[in-house]
Amino acid sequence: MRYLYYPGCSLKGIGRAYEESLLAVCGALGVELKEIADWNCCGATAYMGIDETQALASR
Amino acid sequence: MDYTPRRLIHLAREGFKDEVLGSFTIWLCASCYECMVQCPKDIAVTEVMYRFKQRAIQEGRYPRKFPIPILAREFFRMVRADGRTAELRLVLRLFLRTRWRQLWRMRGLGWSLARTGRFTLKRERIRGRGEVAALLDAVAADKEVTP
């Protein structure tokens, strides 16, 4: 099985441990995960609190 | 929180503009939408908060050195320039523009993050950043609001 996944900035920063364990578990289960190419900001957290439309636009 | 949301809405209705735009309350709203879900009168409290925040940014009236509006601004700038944010760079920028002295006090945390490989200063830039910027600009032009 091959799946694409969207990590987001948190999985590349403070949540790095989650990405590592996710990839390890999926690898052990025979699920192949591939990061979506050139993914952009999901618009959550900081921006969401000011302007919903703009947060959604960056999605 | 200096005014409760109920008071804030009353202040706005009575025209206390300085009090509303300069209040801390609007910046403490985390947009969880719980109030809107619960409101028996279907008042769009979160939307009202968005509007207050946008207006405060527009008029540059948010409390000085208060981190939340500055975080929003730096977040927006980084996404517009790079297409996504790099957490650590964002946090560092926030601290340098607000309470840089606190960085020294947080050195222990920095060291722990570095030790576990989570402290990276790498700039995250996507190829399609131009498209993201174009989208954001289109929304900003429509609303005439940019932090």
Side-chain angles (χ1 to χ4, degrees):
Chain A
M1 281 189 289
R2 284 189 77 194
Y3 288 99
L4 285 173
Y5 81 106
Y6 175 90
C9 64
S10 293
L11 222 52
K12 296 292 172 192
I14 220 82
R16 192 179 142 174
Y18 289 110
E19 184 173 47
E20 283 177 17
S21 53
L22 173 76
L23 292 176
V25 169
C26 287
L29 294 173
V31 177
E32 198 186 326
L33 285 182
K34 200 169 170 291
E35 190 176 313
I36 291 175
D38 212 37
W39 53 270
N40 60 268
C41 176
C42 75
T45 58
Y47 212 79
M48 188 70 197
I50 310 291
D51 190 324
E52 190 181 26
T53 319
Q54 220 153 31
L56 293 173
S58 73
R59 211 161 262 186
Chain B
M1 207 188 307
D2 38 9
Y3 301 110
T4 61
R6 190 192 296 261
R7 273 193 173 182
L8 204 68
I9 287 172
H10 268 299
L11 281 170
R13 293 180 61 157
E14 298 299 331
F16 289 89
K17 193 176 168 187
D18 292 333
E19 284 80 357
V20 171
L21 296 185
S23 79
F24 286 96
T25 306
I26 58 177
W27 299 105
L28 297 174
C29 165
S31 27
C32 71
Y33 289 90
E34 182 68 15
C35 54
M36 277 173 73
V37 172
Q38 300 282 345
C39 183
K41 289 285 179 194
D42 292 329
I43 292 167
V45 186
T46 316
E47 305 292 338
V48 173
M49 293 294 171
Y50 284 147
R51 196 66 201 105
F52 287 156
K53 283 184 262 196
Q54 290 164 18
R55 192 68 178 269
I57 287 174
Q58 241 174 349
E59 303 196 5
R61 289 164 97 161
Y62 45 83
R64 247 178 65 80
K65 296 254 173 186
F66 190 55
I68 302 172
I70 296 172
L71 175 65
R73 191 188 66 200
E74 295 303 320
F75 186 95
F76 177 79
R77 283 185 183 166
M78 199 178 270
V79 171
R80 199 192 167 282
D82 298 342
R84 68 170 84 142
T85 62
E87 271 184 344
L88 199 91
R89 293 173 68 94
L90 181 67
V91 170
L92 280 178
R93 273 209 227 173
L94 171 70
F95 271 94
L96 291 174
R97 280 175 171 72
T98 52
R99 297 154 187 198
W100 57 271
R101 282 182 197 88
Q102 279 191 10
L103 277 176
W104 175 249
R105 268 200 272 156
M106 293 172 74
R107 66 193 182 279
L109 178 64
W111 170 243
S112 304
L113 289 175
R115 220 161 26 98
T116 47
R118 283 178 287 180
F119 196 100
T120 167
L121 286 172
K122 209 180 104 215
R123 185 174 189 182
E124 297 274 351
R125 271 184 120 181
I126 68 168
R127 284 193 304 279
R129 56 186 183 272
E131 292 164 45
V132 174
L135 267 171
L136 289 171
D137 290 347
V139 175
D142 192 38
K143 295 192 135 187
E144 293 170 12
V145 173
T146 317

Coordinates of all heavy atoms in Angstrom, one line a residue, chain A:
Chain A
M1 N 0.8 -1.2 0.0 CA 0.0 0.0 0.0 C 0.9 1.2 0.0 O 1.8 1.3 0.8 CB -0.9 0.0 1.2 CG -2.1 -0.9 1.1 SD -3.2 -0.6 2.5 CE -2.2 -1.3 3.9
R2 N 0.5 2.2 -0.8 CA 1.2 3.5 -0.8 C 0.3 4.6 -0.6 O -0.8 4.7 -1.1 CB 1.9 3.7 -2.2 CG 3.1 2.8 -2.4 CD 3.8 3.3 -3.7 NE 4.6 4.5 -3.5 CZ 5.0 5.2 -4.5 NH1 4.8 4.9 -5.8 NH2 5.7 6.3 -4.3
Y3 N 0.7 5.4 0.3 CA -0.1 6.6 0.7 C 0.7 7.9 0.6 O 1.9 7.9 0.9 CB -0.7 6.5 2.1 CG -1.8 5.4 2.2 CD1 -1.5 4.2 2.7 CD2 -3.1 5.7 1.8 CE1 -2.5 3.2 2.8 CE2 -4.1 4.8 1.9 CZ -3.8 3.5 2.4 OH -4.8 2.6 2.5
L4 N 0.0 9.0 0.3 CA 0.6 10.3 0.4 C 0.2 10.8 1.7 O -0.9 10.6 2.2 CB 0.2 11.2 -0.7 CG 0.7 11.0 -2.1 CD1 0.0 11.9 -3.1 CD2 2.2 11.2 -2.2
Y5 N 1.1 11.6 2.4 CA 0.7 12.2 3.6 C 1.2 13.7 3.7 O 2.1 14.1 3.0 CB 1.2 11.4 4.8 CG 2.6 11.6 5.2 CD1 2.9 12.4 6.3 CD2 3.6 11.1 4.5 CE1 4.2 12.6 6.7 CE2 4.9 11.3 4.8 CZ 5.2 12.0 6.0 OH 6.5 12.2 6.3
Y6 N 0.4 14.4 4.4 CA 0.7 15.9 4.6 C 1.3 16.1 6.0 O 0.6 15.9 7.0 CB -0.6 16.7 4.4 CG -0.4 18.1 4.7 CD1 -0.1 19.0 3.7 CD2 -0.6 18.7 6.0 CE1 0.1 20.4 3.9 CE2 -0.4 20.0 6.2 CZ -0.1 20.8 5.2 OH 0.1 22.2 5.5
P7 N 2.6 16.4 6.1 CA 3.1 16.6 7.4 C 2.8 17.9 8.2 O 2.4 17.9 9.3 CB 4.6 16.5 7.2 CG 4.8 16.8 5.8 CD 3.5 16.6 5.0
G8 N 2.9 19.0 7.5 CA 2.7 20.3 8.1 C 4.0 20.7 8.9 O 4.8 19.8 9.2
C9 N 4.0 22.0 9.2 CA 5.3 22.5 9.8 C 5.5 21.9 11.2 O 6.7 21.7 11.6 CB 5.2 24.0 9.9 SG 3.9 24.7 11.0
S10 N 4.5 21.5 12.0 CA 4.7 21.0 13.3 C 5.4 19.7 13.3 O 6.2 19.4 14.1 CB 3.4 20.9 14.1 OG 2.9 22.2 14.3
L11 N 5.0 18.8 12.3 CA 5.7 17.5 12.2 C 7.1 17.6 11.8 O 7.9 16.7 11.9 CB 4.9 16.7 11.2 CG 4.7 15.2 11.5 CD1 4.0 15.1 12.9 CD2 3.8 14.5 10.5
K12 N 7.5 18.8 11.2 CA 8.9 19.0 10.8 C 9.6 19.8 11.9 O 10.8 20.0 11.8 CB 8.9 19.9 9.5 CG 8.3 19.1 8.3 CD 9.2 18.0 7.9 CE 8.5 17.1 6.9 NZ 9.2 15.8 6.7
G13 N 8.9 20.2 12.9 CA 9.5 21.0 14.0 C 9.4 20.3 15.3 O 10.0 19.2 15.5
I14 N 8.6 20.9 16.2 CA 8.4 20.4 17.5 C 7.8 18.9 17.6 O 8.1 18.2 18.5 CB 7.6 21.4 18.4 CG1 8.2 21.5 19.7 CG2 6.1 21.1 18.4 CD1 9.3 22.4 19.8
G15 N 7.0 18.6 16.5 CA 6.4 17.3 16.6 C 7.2 16.2 15.8 O 6.6 15.2 15.4
R16 N 8.4 16.4 15.6 CA 9.3 15.5 14.8 C 9.2 14.1 15.3 O 9.2 13.2 14.5 CB 10.7 16.0 14.9 CG 11.6 15.4 13.8 CD 13.0 15.9 13.9 NE 13.9 14.8 13.7 CZ 15.2 15.0 13.6 NH1 15.7 16.2 13.7 NH2 16.0 14.0 13.4
A17 N 9.1 13.9 16.6 CA 9.0 12.5 17.1 C 7.8 11.8 16.6 O 7.9 10.6 16.3 CB 9.0 12.6 18.7
Y18 N 6.7 12.5 16.4 CA 5.5 11.8 15.8 C 5.7 11.4 14.4 O 5.3 10.3 14.0 CB 4.3 12.8 15.9 CG 3.8 13.1 17.3 CD1 4.0 14.3 17.9 CD2 3.2 12.0 18.0 CE1 3.5 14.5 19.1 CE2 2.8 12.3 19.3 CZ 2.9 13.5 19.8 OH 2.5 13.7 21.1
E19 N 6.4 12.2 13.6 CA 6.7 11.8 12.2 C 7.6 10.6 12.2 O 7.4 9.6 11.5 CB 7.3 12.9 11.4 CG 7.5 12.5 10.0 CD 8.0 13.6 9.1 OE1 9.0 14.3 9.5 OE2 7.4 13.8 8.0
E20 N 8.6 10.6 13.1 CA 9.5 9.4 13.1 C 8.8 8.1 13.5 O 9.0 7.1 12.9 CB 10.7 9.7 14.1 CG 11.7 10.7 13.5 CD 12.8 11.0 14.4 OE1 13.0 10.3 15.4 OE2 13.5 12.0 14.2
S21 N 8.0 8.2 14.6 CA 7.3 7.0 15.0 C 6.2 6.6 14.0 O 6.1 5.4 13.7 CB 6.7 7.2 16.4 OG 5.9 8.3 16.4
L22 N 5.6 7.6 13.4 CA 4.6 7.2 12.3 C 5.2 6.5 11.2 O 4.7 5.4 10.7 CB 3.9 8.5 11.8 CG 3.0 8.3 10.6 CD1 1.7 7.8 11.1 CD2 2.8 9.6 9.9
L23 N 6.3 7.0 10.7 CA 7.0 6.3 9.6 C 7.5 5.0 10.0 O 7.4 4.0 9.2 CB 8.2 7.2 9.1 CG 7.8 8.5 8.4 CD1 9.0 9.4 8.1 CD2 6.9 8.3 7.2
A24 N 8.0 4.8 11.2 CA 8.5 3.5 11.7 C 7.4 2.5 11.8 O 7.5 1.4 11.3 CB 9.2 3.7 13.0
V25 N 6.3 2.9 12.3 CA 5.1 2.0 12.5 C 4.6 1.6 11.1 O 4.3 0.4 10.8 CB 4.0 2.7 13.4 CG1 2.7 1.8 13.3 CG2 4.5 2.8 14.8
C26 N 4.4 2.6 10.3 CA 3.8 2.3 8.9 C 4.8 1.4 8.2 O 4.4 0.5 7.4 CB 3.6 3.6 8.2 SG 2.1 4.4 8.8
G27 N 6.1 1.7 8.3 CA 7.1 0.8 7.7 C 7.0 -0.6 8.1 O 7.0 -1.5 7.3
A28 N 6.8 -0.8 9.4 CA 6.7 -2.2 10.0 C 5.4 -2.8 9.5 O 5.4 -4.1 9.3 CB 6.7 -2.1 11.5
L29 N 4.4 -2.1 9.3 CA 3.1 -2.6 8.8 C 3.0 -2.8 7.3 O 2.0 -3.2 6.8 CB 1.9 -1.7 9.3 CG 1.7 -1.7 10.8 CD1 0.7 -0.6 11.1 CD2 1.3 -3.0 11.4
G30 N 4.1 -2.4 6.6 CA 4.1 -2.5 5.2 C 3.3 -1.4 4.5 O 2.9 -1.6 3.3
V31 N 3.1 -0.3 5.2 CA 2.4 0.8 4.5 C 3.5 1.8 4.1 O 4.3 2.3 4.9 CB 1.4 1.5 5.5 CG1 0.8 2.7 4.8 CG2 0.4 0.5 6.0
E32 N 3.5 2.1 2.8 CA 4.5 3.0 2.3 C 4.0 4.4 2.3 O 3.0 4.7 1.7 CB 5.0 2.6 0.9 CG 6.3 3.2 0.5 CD 6.6 2.9 -1.0 OE1 6.2 1.8 -1.4 OE2 7.2 3.7 -1.6
L33 N 4.6 5.3 3.1 CA 4.2 6.7 3.1 C 5.1 7.6 2.3 O 6.3 7.5 2.4 CB 4.1 7.2 4.6 CG 3.0 6.7 5.5 CD1 3.1 7.3 6.8 CD2 1.6 7.0 4.8
K34 N 4.5 8.5 1.6 CA 5.3 9.4 0.8 C 4.8 10.8 1.1 O 3.6 11.1 1.1 CB 5.1 9.1 -0.7 CG 6.3 9.7 -1.5 CD 6.2 9.1 -2.9 CE 7.1 9.9 -3.9 NZ 6.7 11.2 -4.2
E35 N 5.7 11.7 1.4 CA 5.3 13.1 1.7 C 4.8 13.8 0.5 O 5.4 13.7 -0.6 CB 6.5 13.8 2.2 CG 6.3 15.2 2.8 CD 7.5 15.8 3.4 OE1 8.2 15.1 4.2 OE2 7.8 17.0 3.1
I36 N 3.7 14.5 0.6 CA 3.2 15.3 -0.5 C 4.2 16.3 -1.0 O 4.8 17.0 -0.2 CB 1.9 16.1 -0.1 CG1 0.7 15.1 0.1 CG2 1.5 17.1 -1.2 CD1 -0.6 15.7 0.6
A37 N 4.4 16.4 -2.3 CA 5.5 17.2 -2.8 C 5.1 18.7 -2.7 O 4.0 19.1 -2.9 CB 5.7 16.9 -4.3
D38 N 6.1 19.5 -2.2 CA 5.9 21.0 -2.2 C 4.7 21.4 -1.4 O 4.0 22.4 -1.9 CB 5.9 21.5 -3.6 CG 6.5 22.9 -3.7 OD1 7.5 23.1 -3.0 OD2 6.0 23.7 -4.5
W39 N 4.4 20.8 -0.3 CA 3.2 21.2 0.4 C 3.4 22.6 1.0 O 4.5 23.0 1.3 CB 2.9 20.2 1.6 CG 4.0 19.9 2.5 CD1 5.0 18.9 2.3 CD2 4.4 20.6 3.7 NE1 5.9 18.9 3.4 CE2 5.5 19.9 4.2 CE3 3.8 21.6 4.4 CZ2 6.1 20.3 5.4 CZ3 4.4 22.0 5.6 CH2 5.6 21.4 6.1
N40 N 2.2 23.3 1.2 CA 2.3 24.6 1.7 C 1.6 24.7 3.1 O 1.0 23.7 3.6 CB 1.7 25.7 0.7 CG 0.3 25.4 0.4 OD1 0.0 24.7 -0.6 ND2 -0.6 25.9 1.2
C41 N 1.6 25.9 3.7 CA 1.0 26.2 5.0 C -0.5 25.7 5.0 O -1.2 25.9 4.1 CB 1.1 27.7 5.3 SG 0.3 28.2 6.8
C42 N -0.9 25.1 6.1 CA -2.3 24.7 6.3 C -3.2 25.8 6.8 O -4.4 25.7 6.9 CB -2.4 23.4 7.2 SG -2.2 23.8 8.9
G43 N -2.5 26.9 7.2 CA -3.3 28.1 7.7 C -3.9 27.9 9.1 O -4.7 28.7 9.5
A44 N -3.4 26.9 9.8 CA -4.0 26.8 11.2 C -3.3 27.7 12.2 O -2.4 28.5 11.8 CB -3.8 25.3 11.6
T45 N -3.6 27.5 13.4 CA -3.0 28.2 14.6 C -2.9 29.7 14.4 O -3.9 30.4 14.3 CB -1.6 27.6 15.0 OG1 -0.7 27.6 13.9 CG2 -1.8 26.2 15.5
A46 N -1.7 30.2 14.3 CA -1.5 31.7 14.4 C -2.4 32.5 13.5 O -3.0 33.5 13.9 CB 0.0 32.0 14.2
Y47 N -2.4 32.1 12.2 CA -3.2 33.0 11.3 C -4.7 32.8 11.5 O -5.4 33.8 11.3 CB -2.8 32.8 9.9 CG -3.0 34.1 9.2 CD1 -2.0 35.1 9.4 CD2 -4.2 34.5 8.6 CE1 -2.2 36.4 9.0 CE2 -4.4 35.7 8.2 CZ -3.4 36.7 8.4 OH -3.6 38.0 8.0
M48 N -5.1 31.6 11.8 CA -6.5 31.3 12.0 C -7.2 32.3 12.9 O -8.3 32.7 12.8 CB -6.6 29.9 12.5 CG -8.0 29.4 12.6 SD -8.7 29.1 10.9 CE -10.4 29.0 11.3
G49 N -6.4 32.8 13.9 CA -7.0 33.6 15.0 C -7.3 35.0 14.5 O -7.9 35.8 15.3
I50 N -6.8 35.4 13.3 CA -7.0 36.8 12.9 C -8.0 36.9 11.7 O -8.9 37.7 11.7 CB -5.7 37.4 12.4 CG1 -4.6 37.2 13.4 CG2 -5.8 38.9 12.0 CD1 -4.7 38.0 14.7
D51 N -7.8 36.0 10.8 CA -8.6 36.1 9.6 C -8.9 34.8 9.0 O -8.0 34.1 8.4 CB -7.8 37.0 8.6 CG -8.7 37.4 7.4 OD1 -9.5 36.5 6.9 OD2 -8.5 38.5 6.9
E52 N -10.1 34.3 9.1 CA -10.4 33.0 8.6 C -10.2 32.8 7.1 O -9.7 31.8 6.7 CB -11.9 32.7 9.0 CG -12.2 31.2 8.8 CD -13.7 30.9 9.1 OE1 -14.5 31.8 9.1 OE2 -13.9 29.7 9.5
T53 N -10.7 33.8 6.3 CA -10.6 33.7 4.9 C -9.1 33.6 4.5 O -8.8 32.7 3.6 CB -11.2 34.9 4.2 OG1 -12.4 35.2 4.9 CG2 -11.5 34.6 2.8
Q54 N -8.3 34.4 5.1 CA -6.9 34.4 4.7 C -6.2 33.0 5.1 O -5.4 32.5 4.4 CB -6.1 35.5 5.3 CG -5.1 36.1 4.3 CD -4.9 37.6 4.6 OE1 -4.9 38.0 5.7 NE2 -4.6 38.3 3.6
A55 N -6.6 32.5 6.3 CA -6.1 31.3 6.7 C -6.5 30.1 5.8 O -5.7 29.3 5.4 CB -6.6 31.0 8.1
L56 N -7.8 30.2 5.3 CA -8.2 29.2 4.3 C -7.6 29.3 3.0 O -7.3 28.4 2.3 CB -9.8 29.3 4.2 CG -10.6 28.9 5.4 CD1 -12.0 29.2 5.2 CD2 -10.4 27.4 5.8
A57 N -7.2 30.6 2.6 CA -6.6 30.8 1.3 C -5.3 30.2 1.2 O -4.8 29.8 0.2 CB -6.5 32.3 1.1
S58 N -4.6 30.1 2.4 CA -3.2 29.6 2.3 C -3.2 28.1 2.3 O -2.2 27.4 2.3 CB -2.3 30.2 3.4 OG -2.7 29.6 4.7
R59 N -4.4 27.5 2.4 CA -4.6 26.1 2.6 C -4.3 25.4 1.2 O -4.7 25.9 0.2 CB -6.0 25.8 3.1 CG -6.0 24.5 3.9 CD -7.2 24.5 4.7 NE -6.9 24.9 6.1 CZ -7.8 24.9 7.1 NH1 -9.0 24.5 6.8 NH2 -7.5 25.3 8.3

